[in-house]
Every structure is written in structure tokens, then in C-alpha cells.
Amino acid sequence: MKDTMQKLADSVIAGHTLERDDALRLGEVEGAEFYRLLAEAGRIREHFIGSAVTLCSIINAKSGTCPEDCAFCAQSAHHSTQAAAYPLVDEEQMVTCAKNAEQHGASCYGIITSGTGIGSRDELDRICRTLGRIRQEAGIAPSCSLGIIDYETACLLRDAGMVTYHHNLETARSFFPNICSTHDYEQDVETVRAAKRAGLKVCCGGIFGLGETFAQRVEMALTLRELGVDSIPVNFLDPVEGTRLEHADFLTPLECLRTIAVYRFLLPDRQITVCGGREKNLRELQSWIFMAGASGMMTGNYLTRAGRNPALDRQMVADLGLTVAPCGCS
């Protein structure tokens, strides 16, 4: 497998597309070959992305009481959790958080709201005003994750100053009915397509450790490749008490790294950002995400979980001989 793995990496670097069966075979390697997989994924990352690590940060701008029944989600109204519930925060708070994120080295700042979609025109107008202020008052690229949207809403957000729309598929189409029954997978796909048609960058990925097979992880990667998304957030389940998956325990640190590495082979020139669940699931191997092909990470707090001190993340990047990508709104 050693020579084959190197040939596959060379082929990807030369611009060829990795096939599904090859990705599945990479997902089966063990022992020394597993570490070779990480090294080759890191080589692909370095070729296409370089040594600059992109940091992103978010604000949970509207929390809880979501009508969707996603099995993992602390904010679902179908679950009984300790997650906070509050309406959309004011402009000043969102702008202040954006400036703080910039100071901590983040180059992208996401405004995240719970719910199937944006709740009202008043909320949308407030977010649009906030986007304009962030573009005027900070040097960080603003993004939004407002649920399912149409093309017209995507254009409105774009014109207000949004650079990237974030909307996760969460998992593979074949596994999605096990996770959510309150909307159809195709609605998520159409949201991604609408944002792309509006000329926006699209950040779209999912969460691993829900009970899906490795083949289904590959299935989602192929869907993301077909949709032409610009960046892929990789989340690992951190089970929340009171959700349907509160007792899930499907991941190990090496399984997380394997998933990142195969995604780098399949999506070689895309940003792959490790987000929620890295502290719990990767533990002492957090720094290995970049060896495995990741090119970014979320820093600071997550939606309903506390994250690491951003200074620790910046130090980790420096210790690896990598650099933090500069802020910018392009």
C-alpha cells in the first residue's frame, strides 16, 4: 500500500480526482501505513494550501427553541438540555464579538442563529446592518449561518457585506433520515446551490460520530465535491445530555484523524477546518490535525460548548512551525 498511497497522493497533487473506491481503501489502512496516510495528506495540504492556518470564530447570535429534531443538537426544542435560549442579540454585541475575534487572529467570523431559517424580516434587517458595520469597522470577513435560505435572501446578505454562507449537510444523504426528520436533505443542498448562484463563498460540512459508516463519510465528501463548496467544517460529536445521541461513543482520536486525511485526498484544494468536538475527541492529538491535512480550526467558544483559549491555539500553530493566515474580507 505504501507505493500505492504515494502514487495516489502524487495523482491528486497533479490534479486528478480521487475515486470513491480508493478513498474507501485509504480508510482501511492500519499501523505504519496509517501514519503514512497522515503524512501524504499533510503533503497534499501543503501543496495546495501552504503553511498558513486559517482561524475562524463564531457568535451564537440566537439560541435554542429550534423546531428541527436533529439528533445531536442541544438547541432542538425536541430535546431537554441545559442549552441557553434567547432571541437574536443586538447589533452592538455582534459587532463587538467580531472585533474581538479579529484581535484573537481569526480571519472569518460567523453569525449563527438557531432555527430552520431566519425568523423575521426584522431579524434579517438587523443582521444585514450588522454585516455592513463589520465590513466598515473591522478587517475580518463576516459569514452567516441562518438555516435554509433562498437565492433572494442570499443576494440580500451578499449585498449587505457577507462574504461566506455557512450551511452544513451534517451527514450523508443515505444516513440523514437517522438524524433529522423535520426537513428534507435536498433543502440543505438547495440552500448551498442558492448561495453559490449568488456568488458567495460556501462553507459546508458536517458532524462525524453520529453512527454513520466510513463509507457514508466518503459519500458526504463526494456530495461536497459535486457542489463545489469552498470550505469544509469538520465537527466531531461531543454528546449532549438530553439529546437522542447523549450516549453515543463512536470516535477515537485516530478515527478523527483518518477522516480528516481522507477528506484532504478527496477535497485537496479546499479549506478543511476542524471545529466542534476537537478537544473531547482528539484530546492530546489536537495538533495532529494539520499533519492529517486540516488547514484551519475554529478558535474560541462553540455554539453551546466552551472552547479553548485562542492564545493556546495560536501557540499550537506556532509550535508546529506554521503561521496564522492574516485577516481579510476578500
Side-chain angles (χ1 to χ4, degrees), residues 1-13 26 33 36-37 40 43-44 265:
M1 185 66 182
K2 178 179 177 180
D3 291 340
T4 299
M5 193 183 304
Q6 183 175 350
K7 287 179 181 178
L8 287 175
D10 288 342
S11 177
V12 167
I13 288 172
L26 290 177
E33 286 307 295
R36 182 63 178 268
L37 168 66
E40 293 295 345
R43 184 163 69 95
I44 294 169
F265 269 82

Side-chain angles (χ1 to χ4, degrees), residues 10-296:
D10 288 342
S11 177
V12 167
I13 288 172
H16 300 291
T17 299
L18 188 77
E19 298 298 329
R20 175 182 178 276
D21 288 347
D22 288 327
L24 293 176
R25 280 193 286 272
L26 290 177
E28 295 175 348
V29 297
E30 299 289 350
E33 286 307 295
F34 171 80
Y35 297 101
R36 182 63 178 268
L37 168 66
L38 302 189
E40 293 295 345
R43 184 163 69 95
I44 294 169
R45 185 263 305 158
E46 186 171 345
H47 175 82
F48 286 101
I49 309 295
S51 61
V53 172
T54 300
L55 302 181
C56 66
S57 183
I58 63 171
I59 179 174
N60 188 3
K62 178 185 177 184
S63 182
T65 64
C66 178
E68 301 295 326
D69 67 351
C70 300
F72 55 83
C73 186
Q75 299 188 75
S76 171
H78 297 260
H79 298 146
S80 178
T81 71
Q82 299 300 311
Y86 50 81
L88 184 67
V89 302
D90 60 31
E91 292 176 46
E92 203 60 46
Q93 185 173 345
M94 287 187 274
V95 173
T96 298
C97 286
K99 293 177 180 178
N100 289 339
E102 182 182 7
Q103 291 175 357
H104 288 304
S107 58
C108 180
Y109 169 72
I111 298 171
I112 318 296
T113 60
S114 65
T116 304
I118 192 65
S120 68
R121 184 57 193 241
D122 287 344
E123 289 183 343
L124 184 58
D125 288 344
R126 188 185 311 172
I127 290 169
C128 286
R129 289 194 301 269
T130 299
L131 291 168
R133 286 189 58 188
I134 292 172
R135 293 302 296 262
Q136 292 174 354
E137 300 175 27
I140 195 168
S143 71
C144 290
S145 180
L146 313 177
I148 294 168
I149 62 170
D150 56 20
Y151 171 75
E152 289 73 19
T153 302
C155 291
L156 189 65
L157 292 163
R158 177 202 64 200
D159 294 344
M162 184 179 72
V163 175
T164 301
Y165 194 70
H166 171 266
H167 190 75
N168 281 343
L169 298 182
E170 307 303 3
T171 190
R173 186 187 292 272
S174 65
F175 192 69
F176 189 75
N178 296 283
I179 299 303
C180 180
S181 67
T182 44
H183 74 271
D184 188 75
Y185 196 80
E186 192 60 25
Q187 292 177 270
D188 294 323
V189 170
E190 282 303 315
T191 292
V192 172
R193 289 175 175 152
K196 293 290 288 185
R197 285 200 306 273
L200 291 161
K201 294 180 181 178
V202 174
C203 179
C204 177
I207 183 166
F208 302 111
L210 306 177
E212 76 285 347
T213 64
F214 194 85
Q216 287 168 325
R217 295 176 196 172
V218 171
E219 178 190 339
M220 186 176 77
L222 296 177
T223 299
L224 296 173
R225 189 166 73 184
E226 179 185 353
L227 290 170
V229 304
D230 300 280
S231 59
I232 298 95
V234 171
N235 297 275
F236 301 111
L237 180 67
D238 186 355
V240 176
E241 184 178 355
T243 65
R244 299 205 318 270
L245 289 176
E246 64 179 337
H247 300 301
D249 184 21
F250 297 112
L251 296 172
T252 66
L254 296 188
E255 188 66 14
C256 294
L257 294 170
R258 182 192 305 277
T259 300
I260 295 169
V262 174
Y263 265 57
R264 176 54 68 196
F265 269 82
L266 286 164
L267 299 149
D269 60 349
R270 306 290 93 171
Q271 288 288 348
I272 297 178
T273 304
V274 179
C275 301
R278 66 180 165 96
E279 294 87 354
K280 172 182 172 57
N281 288 283
L282 285 152
R283 298 189 284 279
E284 298 304 313
L285 299 186
Q286 285 188 64
S287 64
W288 288 36
I289 62 176
F290 302 109
M291 180 197 302
S295 54

